[in-house]
Amino acid sequence: MIKGKNQPKSGSAKTTAADLPGSGGYGANDAKLDDLARNTEDSAGEYLTSNQGVRINDNQNSLKAGDRGPTLLEDFILREKITHFDHERIPERVVHARGSAAHGYFQVYEPMAEYTRADFLQDPAVKTPVFVRFSTVAGSRGSTDLARDVRGFAVKFYTQQGNYDLVGNNMPVFFIQDAIKFPDLIHAVKPEPHNEIPQAASAHDTFWDFISLMPESMHMIMWVMSDRAIPRSLRMMEGFGVHTFRFINEQGKARFVKFHWKPLLGLHSVAWDEAQKISGKDPDFHRRDLWEAIENADYPEWELGVQIVEDKDEHSFDFDLLDPTKIIPEELVPVRRIGKMTLNRNPDNFFAETEQVAFHAGNIVPGVDFTTDPLLQGRLFSYLATQLIRLGGPNFHEIPINRPVAPLHNNQRDGYMRQTVNRGQTSYEPNSLRGGCPFQAGTAMHGFESYAERIDARKIRARSPSFFDHFSQATLFFKSQSAPEQNHIINALRFELGKVETPAIRERMLFLLSEIDKTLAKRVAEGLGATVPAKLDQPINMSIPADADPRKVQPKRAKQEIETSPTLRMVDNPNFPTDNIKTRKIAFLIADGFDDDAVAYMRQALLTAGAAALTVAPRLGVLTGAKGEEAKADFSFLTGSSVLFDAVYIPGGDASAAALKGEPEAINFVGEAYKHCKTIAASGAGVELLKSAGLIPRTSGEVAKSDQQTVHPGVVISQEANFSQLADDFIKGIARHRHWEREAVG
Ligand code: HDE
């Protein structure tokens, strides 16, 4: 499966950007790769040594008084090795602990000088190195990739003007409006403190207790209960900066900006039942998928999009631009795609890079600035604080993955693990002993200047009334979904609330859902065997100060400019045409005696379309076709499972089909693929397996009348050797990703 095009450069101490193959690589000028090369190590052909460089002659036995006697304290080799091992762990991230990352580069399409002075957004010829880490939020480091959760989408741009971190998510809004609620939110969603249950799951009482008292989270809840929370691949999800930021141009003019990442492979999810099964079959599913795609030179790509709002239009929307629970619908402000990011290199070492990378929402460069979004403001404090505890001191910026490629000079000194050997007598400024160095840089020399936003206010702990509309955009999101996607949201809520044990929490949630959409609430209630309460005993917004007037801080609906936005759904989203099947994994179910011609034809057709064909057979090893062609089994029914593939093909061959029919796992395989709405193709005797699985009538009757048919949505068969038509139909079916309409027929 792994073509290994990208392999030789991994781990070599002598690797430089110039060693990378020209095609698909950075070219010969990746400053970050050269920078990392200073710290990479490769043991190939080397002697084993201690940390002091002393060669070790026996790594099997500790030093003892006699071969059965006690170990001696003087065994410095043993002590050093064990002591280092004892200290190998660092605290995992308090949120986003589970993650996977890759290197790549970003290129802007055209100069953005009209809007921003940021230097990496000016020259289309410049490739800015990036390191991107994707993550789930709630689970621990070792938790499953397929949890229902928000995905982190954090990008570190190593620009010539310093590091710029765009620390976003795969959903454009957030649960809460003010950072002061973040510890509460996370405490509620994490495993419950008394018994540490459940892992990487929001389906438990404390999460829904908190949410049911937090009406501002309703828009985000719609996203998290949607299929966006269970992506097919990290390569197939959108990214969002969430907050409104500012772009500042050379003249100092500021505009508001929202950031988007649009995946070129489209937007795809798995089914919830599938997600749960993948969590057992391959909890590293997303990590493996990203790693293998890059090793196979199928480099994932996203376009960077911006929504720009003129300063004067700040108050022209029916929501507040500073409110992180709101989107700017693309119908109101279109997303302009301004550049492309390509991920083309896996990390050499997970700990050194993926684990130690330190993102910070506050890492910005000239040309970008913050707004006073109260969630963003809290983040600006939090990330630095968290790095100090997680990475153990103030010098984490010197860790290779974190250090900028831009030169770094200041008067900060010392601290744990200081790497830099700062020369000279002075470590203060102003100074005369060193001629004033290092100097402050004026604006012309790209010195960072904060946007001089006018603030004329009283110190006050309060929420702006412009933040009180908690339901309109939740309704917009729900109404914008296709029918199957609405069903998925309803089922997700039935699942999550079904796991909640306290009836009052479910009731409050049903009431809040009824504020979003009456049918939504009614259908969730049906699944729970409950009724939607007409009103609540307490005020809906419990999270208000005790002495506040509850009428003044209740959610209220603002007038909406649009009723639906097709860009919010995943099915038939106009931003993502479904016309390709690139990098999809297709399972071929075969046994000895398979139809050689059918396998060869379909394999070639899929490869030409950019997909991968993988064989799954009753046993591993080499299988022989009816005409003597050999095929290696990539998986057996024990190691491969339907949930790990995008579609299934069962070629003919009497002996092969007969063997598969006698294999319960083969029947499960197609049954499950059917249930998860995947495209299934069968030809010749392979059609028999579909009959055994009950997917088409046993008496071929109708089916036999015509050779080529679609038996159910996304199930295509050919009883004769009409491979070309079958392959076309199969590929079209896979490009639709899932045939959710099957769920309606059951
Ligand atoms: Fe984070 N967040 N966050 N967050 N966040 C962290 O920083 C925090 C928020 C996001 O791959 C932590 O280094 C607060 C929104 C990502 O390493 C911590 C608030 C968004 C990552 C932290 C938020 C994010 C983090 C934990 C509310 C989307 C993973 C470890 C005010 C725009 C980065 C760390 C990686 C990580 C704080 C809300 C994205 C504790 C206080 C909104 C992608 O500092």
Side-chain angles (χ1 to χ4, degrees):
M1 164 66 195
I2 296 179
K3 295 177 219 150
K5 283 188 201 163
N6 200 34
Q7 278 164 355
K9 62 188 176 289
S10 296
S12 161
K14 293 166 193 72
T15 308
T16 68
D19 298 330
L20 280 172
S23 62
Y26 296 90
N29 60 352
D30 176 28
K32 189 59 197 172
L33 185 58
D34 286 342
D35 174 62
L36 288 173
R38 288 199 272 142
N39 290 79
T40 52
E41 180 270 346
D42 189 334
S43 301
E46 304 289 351
Y47 288 111
L48 183 69
T49 72
S50 72
N51 282 341
Q52 306 307 316
V54 175
R55 287 185 185 170
I56 295 172
N57 145 284
D58 182 347
N59 190 34
Q60 318 305 319
N61 299 295
S62 48
L63 188 67
K64 300 177 202 78
D67 59 5
R68 300 181 63 246
T71 301
L72 299 181
L73 196 59
E74 74 169 62
D75 189 349
F76 65 97
I77 295 177
L78 170 74
R79 276 192 290 116
E80 181 197 84
K81 185 173 172 184
I82 294 223
T83 308
H84 193 279
F85 170 76
D86 290 341
H87 294 79
E88 276 175 10
R89 289 289 171 272
I90 62 170
E92 66 173 32
R93 289 165 174 82
V94 60
V95 283
H96 297 265
R98 169 79 186 171
S100 307
H103 293 272
Y105 61 89
F106 173 80
Q107 265 181 303
V108 72
Y109 290 147
E110 51 188 339
M112 293 298 292
E114 183 185 348
Y115 302 105
T116 173
R117 67 164 80 109
D119 127 290
F120 77 107
L121 294 176
Q122 305 308 331
D123 184 352
V126 169
K127 293 181 172 180
T128 299
V130 297
F131 189 66
V132 181
R133 184 172 179 274
F134 304 103
S135 47
T136 53
V137 175
S140 298
R141 241 190 89 173
S143 58
T144 173
D145 281 340
L146 265 291
R148 174 176 293 287
D149 202 349
V150 196
R151 298 297 182 288
F153 192 129
V155 181
K156 191 179 281 294
F157 297 85
Y158 301 95
T159 88
Q160 294 299 320
Q161 293 180 325
N163 287 352
Y164 170 47
D165 293 355
L166 183 51
V167 196
N169 278 345
N170 76 331
M171 297 175 191
V173 288
F174 203 62
F175 295 95
I176 47 172
Q177 294 175 323
D178 191 307
I180 200 165
K181 298 309 298 167
F182 191 65
D184 299 296
L185 167 73
I186 299 305
H187 286 173
V189 72
K190 284 269 182 183
E192 299 189 7
H194 58 316
N195 57 12
E196 185 79 2
I197 298 175
Q199 181 55 243
S202 51
H204 59 112
D205 281 47
T206 56
F207 178 68
W208 288 102
D209 183 25
F210 176 80
I211 293 296
S212 67
L213 299 169
M214 197 55 56
E216 71 204 49
S217 66
M218 283 309 114
H219 187 195
M220 181 64 167
I221 285 298
M222 287 295 99
W223 283 82
V224 180
M225 293 299 116
S226 81
D227 294 345
R228 302 264 184 164
I230 39 174
R232 156 64 182 84
S233 161
L234 302 169
R235 303 174 291 130
M236 299 172 196
M237 59 184 203
E238 282 183 280
F240 302 91
V242 177
H243 315 279
T244 304
F245 290 88
R246 279 197 172 87
F247 263 164
I248 319 286
N249 70 10
E250 201 60 59
Q251 292 71 43
K253 182 173 169 51
R255 294 179 177 88
F256 295 102
V257 59
K258 288 249 190 210
F259 294 107
H260 298 243
W261 291 108
K262 303 280 189 194
L264 294 192
L265 285 176
L267 205 53
H268 300 295
S269 69
V270 297
W272 175 232
D273 179 65
E274 194 184 350
Q276 291 171 290
K277 288 177 175 150
I278 295 173
S279 292
K281 296 278 180 186
D282 185 7
D284 304 304
F285 186 74
H286 284 154
R287 179 176 289 179
R288 191 185 311 282
D289 168 273
L290 179 67
W291 177 274
E292 288 185 350
I294 293 175
E295 292 298 305
N296 284 333
D298 289 325
Y299 301 135
E301 294 172 317
W302 286 262
E303 286 184 312
L304 178 64
V306 290
Q307 285 177 296
I308 293 178
V309 175
E310 295 294 331
D311 216 28
K312 65 175 174 43
D313 295 332
E314 177 175 2
H315 299 293
S316 61
F317 299 95
D318 49 30
F319 51 86
D320 195 325
L321 280 182
L322 301 182
D323 175 355
T325 65
K326 303 296 183 296
I327 55 163
I328 309 180
E330 292 190 29
E331 287 73 12
L332 301 186
V333 180
V335 175
R336 172 170 166 197
R337 300 189 185 202
I338 64 167
K340 192 170 77 175
M341 175 169 79
T342 308
L343 299 185
N344 65 350
R345 192 165 62 83
N346 279 315
D348 284 330
N349 183 287
F350 186 90
F351 180 83
E353 300 175 75
T354 310
E355 196 57 17
Q356 291 200 114
V357 66
F359 291 95
H360 179 10
N363 287 350
I364 54 171
V365 287
V368 183
D369 214 328
F370 314 121
T371 57
T372 52
D373 169 345
L375 192 71
L376 173 61
Q377 293 281 317
R379 292 181 72 201
L380 301 180
F381 167 77
S382 178
Y383 288 70
L384 201 52
T386 215
Q387 316 306 357
L388 287 171
I389 181 75
R390 198 168 68 79
L391 298 168
N395 288 317
F396 60 84
H397 64 281
E398 295 186 331
I399 296 173
I401 194 66
N402 294 326
R403 69 185 169 219
V405 297
L408 184 165
H409 302 284
N410 58 40
N411 293 308
Q412 295 172 30
R413 293 290 186 272
D414 310 346
Y416 284 113
M417 307 295 165
R418 183 70 174 178
Q419 311 284 304
T420 310
V421 181
N422 298 101
R423 287 212 184 110
Q425 186 184 6
T426 61
S427 52
Y428 55 87
E429 192 277 339
N431 67 64
S432 65
L433 295 176
R434 193 184 272 230
C437 296
F439 297 111
Q440 297 179 136
T443 317
M445 300 311 295
H446 312 295
F448 184 86
E449 264 187 295
S450 287
Y451 174 62
E453 181 180 358
R454 183 174 185 90
I455 299 199
D456 179 12
R458 282 194 309 164
K459 250 193 291 182
I460 176 172
R461 278 188 198 276
R463 198 77 56 95
S464 165
S466 57
F467 279 41
F468 281 8
D469 177 8
H470 300 332
F471 298 115
S472 299
Q473 288 206 350
T475 308
L476 171 71
F477 182 83
F478 185 70
K479 287 213 164 122
S480 302
Q481 304 302 302
S482 64
E485 288 170 291
Q486 288 192 339
N487 287 336
H488 296 170
I489 293 175
I490 289 161
N491 280 334
L493 284 160
R494 286 173 173 176
F495 175 91
E496 297 269 321
L497 297 176
K499 297 258 184 178
V500 165
E501 287 170 10
T502 311
I505 298 177
R506 286 189 193 170
E507 263 195 28
R508 278 201 302 269
M509 270 316 301
L510 287 172
F511 180 80
L512 288 180
L513 294 175
S514 73
E515 294 287 311
I516 299 173
D517 186 279
K518 298 281 178 248
T519 318
L520 163 71
K522 195 166 150 283
R523 290 192 53 204
V524 174
E526 276 163 19
L528 297 174
T531 46
V532 183
K535 64 177 183 53
L536 293 180
D537 295 340
Q538 303 117 334
I540 189 173
N541 196 351
M542 298 264 293
S543 60
I544 54 170
D547 57 352
D549 177 349
R551 283 162 312 180
K552 286 196 183 147
V553 283
Q554 291 307 304
K556 59 165 192 267
R557 270 177 191 275
K559 180 185 77 43
Q560 291 300 291
E561 278 188 58
I562 55 169
E563 289 206 343
T564 58
S565 168
T567 63
L568 299 178
R569 59 177 174 243
M570 297 177 80
V571 174
D572 295 329
N573 181 316
N575 285 331
F576 303 99
T578 44
D579 60 354
N580 79 70
I581 64 164
K582 281 186 195 146
T583 78
R584 295 318 189 92
K585 286 186 171 176
I586 318 302
F588 281 31
L589 306 194
I590 57 168
D592 281 316
F594 62 84
D595 179 342
D596 319 55
D597 296 337
V599 167
Y601 191 94
M602 191 63 93
R603 184 190 292 274
Q604 192 49 50
L606 291 171
L607 283 182
T608 308
L614 297 148
T615 50
V616 186
R619 59 164 174 82
L620 292 178
V622 175
L623 303 160
T624 311
K627 290 188 187 165
E629 285 294 322
E630 292 194 335
K632 188 180 138 289
D634 294 305
F635 298 91
S636 72
F637 284 111
L638 281 177
T639 61
S641 162
S642 147
V643 295
L644 306 178
F645 298 92
D646 291 294
V648 192
Y649 172 48
I650 309 116
D654 291 341
S656 172
L660 292 176
K661 273 172 67 180
E663 179 74 54
E665 282 308 318
I667 293 172
N668 279 346
F669 199 109
V670 285
E672 218 167 49
Y674 183 83
K675 180 178 175 194
H676 298 146
C677 303
K678 295 175 184 177
T679 310
I680 300 173
S683 59
V687 175
E688 295 301 310
L689 188 66
L690 300 190
K691 289 183 192 165
S692 297
L695 300 186
I696 55 176
R698 268 178 190 284
T699 46
S700 10
E702 281 293 291
V703 172
K705 272 189 212 151
S706 131
D707 168 47
Q708 192 65 50
Q709 325 211 351
T710 299
V711 212
H712 294 293
V715 180
V716 291
I717 62 169
S718 166
Q719 294 193 320
E720 289 161 20
N722 187 357
F723 301 139
S724 150
Q725 179 68 45
L726 183 72
D728 277 359
D729 289 349
F730 192 34
I731 288 170
K732 272 194 210 117
I734 304 169
R736 280 208 53 76
H737 181 63
R738 293 301 157 88
H739 304 272
W740 299 123
E741 60 271 36
R742 260 189 228 152
E743 290 175 333
V745 284

